[in-house]
């Protein structure tokens, strides 16, 4: 206590500090606590106080402006007085260094030039700035420097030496101790291992991309410690991992699971027989899909070939590719919907049909498509009885219009105005072309060679030509129980009086293409294939016209011009499955019976109407 009072009295008397009632500095010996508390004390005066307390000479080259304030509620150790002074000086850009004989206050930015102590393992503790050497063994020195630079004090210095991978730092001891701890942690985490994993069942290049993707998802690649490098060694089919021991073990476990022997890694041969589709068509589709798929190793690409004899595909592929190809084949080889098309090819005489219209008092006796429908509507008839089975297959209104149309054609045929050339039927696969041909093959002279002598013969070269009607139909089943019919009709004929008997006829060709959307069981007419016909009519007086030679005087002949319209009636019926064919036959038989009955009643009704007209 006497020593503390003496110091306080000395400060007051020497005028170095103004200490009010709240300001007091009590100093015991070096190991004792010191109770200090001051306010608005000039820094220069505080330096003098510390010099006296520590009994150390302090060299001050420049006056240091500013004041310092220290509020204390508990005593501090005598040794800490120096740390308080250094902290106060650092705020002003200065620091305190110990030259042995005395202490010197210098600028902090120049402190490293004053032969600062170098810390070694057996060094004592320092309060002033020191220099320490960091030996880096597990990481690049520049990477470590970039990570610790922000921990340095404002006046600290950091230098890297790449030749021996070391860092020199000049800073306060407390900062250096903190930096040591940080460097120790960074080096520990940067200690990565290199592992070689030889694969037995899978190819390294096949799983390399997948492993890198797993590593990116599982570990944060932005953190150096977490970052994993994975490469392949093609020479021995191995995976090389550069990572920490923990992360490398995690990836090794994943690789071992992927390398387990299974069907996934081997090529499997399968023969797949198609049931509903042509192997030629399916082969092109599947092969095109496989050819566009990317494979790391071309050897892993599936090998696909076709056998048209058994309508089968031979596929050599991995289990994964077999599953994908199987899914495609299942969708492509489904049982196709079919369309049963009934056709009626009819030749209608314009002259005769017009006579019928006049004879029975009917309008719409024309032979155009709309005329036939009008004629069918006008012939009338009694109500039709339709079974529930037929009504569920074809809408009743469609049945009635189809039956009425058929009755009109039958009536025209019975009256000699129509000639039903053919009534073919064809079963078409959905969206596939089908063809009907009705006609004959005729020989036509293409060249002729005259005889050169009496012993030589004339020679003719003939060519066989199809003369008749070719009907190409392509149905496409759409929604709402409708069928889109793509129809192409081609009529080839021999022109009358053009030398057909001599083998040099003139042929004509007429062609119609159309696209129509009709309901299931609904009629569609393809018309417009018209040809001119000239016939000779003979009129004579009975008995007298039959007298030889003289009878010619009682006869008259005249040429009659007529137009023959070739009309094609098509009626499509949708078949969902092949098993529905027998059911369709029963329904068509019922439909034919209804039409025959209706035709009979229509004809009776029209005859009654004609008789009433005569009366």
């Amino acid at each position: 206590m006497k020593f503390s009072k003496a110091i306080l009295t000395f400060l007051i008397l020497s005028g170095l500090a103004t200490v009010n009632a709240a300001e007091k500095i009590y100093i015991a010996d070096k190991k004792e606590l010191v109770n200090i508390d001051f306010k608005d004390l000039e820094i220069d005066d505080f330096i003098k106080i510390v010099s006296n307390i520590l009994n150390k000479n302090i060299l001050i080259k420049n006056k240091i402006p500013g004041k310092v304030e220290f509020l204390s509620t508990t005593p501090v150790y005598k040794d800490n007085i120096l740390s308080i002074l250094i902290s106060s000086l650092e705020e002003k850009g200065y620091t305190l260094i110990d030259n042995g004989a005395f202490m010197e206050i210098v600028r902090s930015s120049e402190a490293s030039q004053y032969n600062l102590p170098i810390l070694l393992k057996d060094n004592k503790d320092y309060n002033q700035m020191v220099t320490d050497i960091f030996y880096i063994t597990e990481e690049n020195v520049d990477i470590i420097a970039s990570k610790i630079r922000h921990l340095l004090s404002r006046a600290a210095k950091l230098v890297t030496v790449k030749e021996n991978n070391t860092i020199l730092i000049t800073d306060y001891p407390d900062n250096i101790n903190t930096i040591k701890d940080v460097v120790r942690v960074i080096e520990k985490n940067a200690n990565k291992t290199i592992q070689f994993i030889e694969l037995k069942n899978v190819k390294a290049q096949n799983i390399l991309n997948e492993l890198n993707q797993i590593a990116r998802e599982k570990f944060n690649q932005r953190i150096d410690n977490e970052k994993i490098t994975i490469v392949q060694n093609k020479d021995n089919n191995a995976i090389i991992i550069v990572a920490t021991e923990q992360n490398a073990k995690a990836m090794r476990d994943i690789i071992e699971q992927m390398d387990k022997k299974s069907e996934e890694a081997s090529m499997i041969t399968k023969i797949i027989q198609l049931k509903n589709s042509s192997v030629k068509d399916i082969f092109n589709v599947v092969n095109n899909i496989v050819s566009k798929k990317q494979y790391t190793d071309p050897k892993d690409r599936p090998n696909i070939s076709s056998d048209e004899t058994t309508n089968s595909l031979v596929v050599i592929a991995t289990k994964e590719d077999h599953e994908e190809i199987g899914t495609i084949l299942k969708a492509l080889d489904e049982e196709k919907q079919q369309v049963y098309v009934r056709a009626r090819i009819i030749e209608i005489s314009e002259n005769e049909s017009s006579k019928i219209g006049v004879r029975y008092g009917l309008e719409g006796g024309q032979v155009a498509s709309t005329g036939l429908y009008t004629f069918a509507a006008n012939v009338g008839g009694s109500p039709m009885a339709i079974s529930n089975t037929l009504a569920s297959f074809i809408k009743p209104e469609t049945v009635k219009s189809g039956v009425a149309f058929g009755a009109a054609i039958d009536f025209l045929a019975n009256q000699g105005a129509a000639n039903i050339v053919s009534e073919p039927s064809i079963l078409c696969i959905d969206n596939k072309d089908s063809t009907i041909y009705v006609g004959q093959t005729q020989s036509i002279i293409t060249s002729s060679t005259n005889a050169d002598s009496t012993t030589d013969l004339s020679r003719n070269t003939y060519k066989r030509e199809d003369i008749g009607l070719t009907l190409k139909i392509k149905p496409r089943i759409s929604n709402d129980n409708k069928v889109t019919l793509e129809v192409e009709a081609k009529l080839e004929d021999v022109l009358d009086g053009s030398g057909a008997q001599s083998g040099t006829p003139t042929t004509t060709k007429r062609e119609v293409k159309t696209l129509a959307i009709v309901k299931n069981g609904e009629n569609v007419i393809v018309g417009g294939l018209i040809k001119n016909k000239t016939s000779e009519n003979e009129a004579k007086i009975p008995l007298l016209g039959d007298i030889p030679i003289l009878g010619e005087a009682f006869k008259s002949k005249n040429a009659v011009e007529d137009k023959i319209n070739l009309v094609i009636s098509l009626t499509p019926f949708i078949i969902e499955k092949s098993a529905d064919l027998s059911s369709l036959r029963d329904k068509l038989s019922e439909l034919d019976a209804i039409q025959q009955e209706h035709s009979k009643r229509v004809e009776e009704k029209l005859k009654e109407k004609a008789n009433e007209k005569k009366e």
Side-chain angles (χ1 to χ4, degrees):
M1 289 296 293
K2 291 181 181 181
F3 180 75
S4 300
K5 290 180 180 179
I7 290 295
L8 182 59
T9 302
F10 172 77
L11 292 174
I12 296 174
L13 293 176
S14 41
L16 298 177
T18 300
V19 183
N20 56 30
E23 296 171 337
K24 47 188 179 294
I25 303 178
Y26 299 105
I27 303 175
D29 60 32
K30 188 175 181 180
K31 296 297 181 183
E32 291 182 357
L33 294 174
V34 178
N35 192 351
I36 60 175
D37 189 357
F38 50 83
K39 183 178 181 181
D40 294 332
L41 183 66
E42 295 288 340
I43 291 181
D44 284 347
D45 294 340
F46 184 46
I47 294 172
K48 295 174 182 178
I49 293 173
V50 173
S51 176
N52 288 320
I53 292 175
L54 300 180
N55 196 25
K56 274 279 189 180
N57 296 325
I58 300 177
L59 174 62
I60 305 175
K61 294 181 179 180
N62 300 306
K63 179 176 177 61
I64 301 173
K67 297 181 180 181
V68 64
E69 180 177 334
F70 186 81
L71 303 178
S72 174
T73 57
T74 57
V76 297
Y77 286 106
K78 183 179 178 181
D79 289 344
N80 291 341
I81 296 292
L82 189 60
S83 297
I84 296 172
L85 175 60
I86 291 174
S87 178
S88 301
L89 291 172
E90 184 181 8
E91 183 67 25
K92 303 299 179 181
Y94 291 87
T95 190
L96 184 68
I97 60 174
D98 191 345
N99 287 329
F102 61 90
M103 291 183 174
E104 184 177 354
I105 296 176
V106 299
R107 294 187 182 277
S108 298
S109 58
E110 301 172 356
S112 59
Q113 304 172 11
Y114 284 85
N115 194 24
L116 296 176
I118 297 176
L119 288 180
L120 299 175
K121 292 183 179 178
D122 56 348
N123 265 114
K124 61 181 180 179
D125 293 335
Y126 290 95
N127 288 326
Q128 71 175 64
M129 294 183 77
V130 297
T131 298
D132 201 359
I133 303 173
F134 292 76
Y135 297 94
I136 309 301
T137 59
E138 304 294 343
E139 184 60 278
N140 183 283
V141 66
D142 290 328
I143 294 177
I144 296 291
S146 65
K147 294 180 178 179
I148 64 174
R149 199 176 296 276
H150 68 284
L151 300 175
L152 301 173
S153 64
R154 288 185 297 178
K157 301 291 183 181
L158 183 150
V159 178
T160 60
V161 182
K162 295 183 180 180
E163 288 75 11
N164 57 2
N165 208 47
T166 57
I167 300 176
L168 304 180
I169 297 178
T170 299
D171 204 345
Y172 293 102
D174 288 343
N175 272 5
I176 287 179
N177 289 334
T178 300
I179 292 171
K180 279 183 179 179
D181 293 337
V182 172
V183 170
R184 191 178 300 113
V185 172
I186 294 174
E187 282 205 286
K188 180 180 178 181
N189 290 336
N191 186 15
K192 294 185 178 180
T193 181
I194 301 176
Q195 295 191 12
F196 292 80
I197 304 171
E198 190 170 347
L199 303 177
K200 298 178 181 179
N201 301 304
V202 298
K203 295 182 179 179
Q205 58 187 358
N206 290 349
I207 64 172
L208 182 62
N209 291 337
E210 189 175 354
L211 287 174
N212 279 313
Q213 184 176 356
I214 292 172
R216 286 193 296 270
E217 295 292 335
K218 188 174 179 64
F219 307 106
N220 191 341
Q221 300 299 299
R222 296 182 179 179
I223 302 175
D224 288 337
N225 180 43
E226 291 286 300
K227 189 174 182 179
I228 294 180
T229 302
I230 304 175
V231 295
Q232 63 169 321
N233 186 337
K234 294 182 179 180
D235 296 333
N236 58 0
N237 193 39
I239 293 291
I240 303 172
I241 300 178
V242 181
T244 61
E245 189 71 32
Q246 181 179 0
N247 290 355
K249 181 181 181 304
M251 291 306 301
R252 175 182 283 274
D253 293 341
I254 294 172
I255 293 171
E256 288 176 352
Q257 289 293 325
M258 297 174 71
D259 192 37
K260 283 185 177 179
K261 188 174 182 179
S262 68
E263 292 181 342
E264 305 290 339
S266 59
M267 303 296 279
I268 305 168
T269 302
K270 287 185 180 182
I271 299 175
I272 306 170
Q273 188 173 26
L274 304 179
K275 299 178 180 179
N276 304 296
S277 304
S278 168
V279 69
K280 185 177 180 180
D281 297 335
I282 298 298
F283 170 76
N284 292 333
V285 174
V286 176
N287 212 30
N288 188 40
I289 294 173
V290 171
S291 65
K292 293 180 180 178
K293 189 175 179 181
Q294 298 296 325
Y295 290 89
T296 306
D297 186 355
K299 295 179 181 179
D300 294 333
R301 187 179 300 280
N303 189 324
I304 304 173
S305 56
S306 62
D307 180 16
E308 295 186 14
T309 306
T310 59
N311 200 46
S312 302
L313 287 176
V314 181
V315 182
I316 304 174
T318 62
K319 182 180 179 182
E320 180 183 357
D321 283 328
H322 268 298
E323 290 176 354
E324 183 177 351
I325 292 171
T327 302
I328 295 171
L329 292 178
K330 184 178 179 181
L332 295 177
D333 194 37
E334 284 186 344
E335 184 175 359
K336 305 293 188 298
Q337 289 181 305
Q338 300 180 84
V339 178
Y340 183 78
V341 180
R342 298 181 82 179
R344 298 183 84 181
I345 303 170
I346 311 148
E347 290 182 341
I348 300 177
S349 168
E350 183 177 291
N351 292 344
E352 294 300 324
S353 60
S354 298
K355 291 176 184 178
I356 290 174
V358 174
R359 186 186 310 156
Y360 292 97
L362 297 173
E363 296 179 0
Q366 299 176 2
V367 295
S369 302
T370 54
L372 279 175
Y373 281 119
T374 306
F375 184 82
N378 289 336
V379 295
S382 57
M384 307 173 201
I386 302 173
S387 67
N388 292 333
T389 304
L390 185 59
S392 63
F393 179 60
I394 308 173
K395 293 183 178 180
E397 58 269 21
T398 303
V399 173
K400 291 176 182 178
S401 64
V403 168
F405 178 79
I409 296 299
D410 289 343
F411 179 74
L412 289 174
N414 291 337
Q415 298 298 316
N419 175 32
I420 300 177
V421 179
S422 178
E423 293 185 280
S425 297
I426 188 169
L427 186 62
C428 311
I429 296 176
D430 183 32
N431 212 29
K432 293 289 184 180
D433 288 325
S434 298
T435 304
I436 298 173
Y437 173 72
V438 179
Q440 61 182 358
T441 303
Q442 186 165 335
S443 298
I444 299 175
I445 295 176
T446 57
S447 64
S448 180
T449 304
N450 295 323
D452 294 333
S453 63
T454 56
T455 59
D456 199 2
L457 298 175
S458 298
R459 294 182 178 86
N460 294 328
T461 303
Y462 292 88
K463 179 182 178 183
R464 304 286 286 178
E465 290 283 352
D466 290 331
I467 304 298
L469 174 68
T470 302
L471 184 63
K472 186 182 289 185
I473 303 170
K474 184 178 182 181
R476 186 170 66 251
I477 300 172
S478 55
N479 297 328
D480 300 329
N481 210 30
K482 293 181 180 179
V483 180
T484 301
L485 287 178
E486 189 175 332
V487 182
E488 181 179 344
K490 184 188 298 181
L491 179 62
E492 294 177 299
D493 202 357
V494 176
L495 193 63
D496 291 340
S498 61
Q501 299 299 324
S502 63
T504 58
T506 300
T507 59
T508 61
K509 181 186 288 187
R510 283 159 288 174
E511 189 173 351
V512 174
K513 293 182 181 180
T514 186
L515 188 68
I517 301 175
V518 295
K519 298 176 183 177
N520 180 37
E522 187 177 24
N523 290 91
V524 62
I525 292 178
V526 178
L529 301 173
I530 303 172
K531 68 176 181 178
N532 294 323
K533 181 179 179 181
T534 303
S535 61
E536 190 177 76
N537 286 346
E538 183 181 73
K540 63 181 178 178
I541 298 174
L543 298 179
L544 294 178
D546 296 328
I547 300 173
I549 301 174
L550 295 176
E552 294 298 324
F554 302 99
K555 294 179 182 179
S556 63
K557 295 180 180 180
N558 64 310
V560 178
E561 298 290 337
D562 194 4
K563 288 186 178 180
I564 304 299
N565 194 326
L566 185 67
V567 177
I568 304 168
S569 169
L570 300 174
T571 308
F573 299 95
I574 298 174
I575 301 174
E576 297 290 342
K577 299 179 181 178
S578 298
D580 296 338
L581 268 174
S582 57
S583 174
L584 176 65
R585 293 190 189 99
D586 295 337
K587 294 168 184 173
L588 292 181
S589 296
E590 180 184 349
L591 190 61
D592 291 340
I594 292 173
Q595 182 172 310
Q596 289 174 6
E597 182 64 26
H598 185 70
S599 297
K600 185 192 237 182
R601 292 178 182 177
V602 165
E603 190 166 355
E604 290 175 355
K605 184 177 179 181
L606 289 175
K607 286 180 179 179
E608 291 175 2
K609 188 175 181 181
N611 293 332
E612 290 175 0
K613 186 177 179 182
K614 290 179 181 179
E615 295 176 358

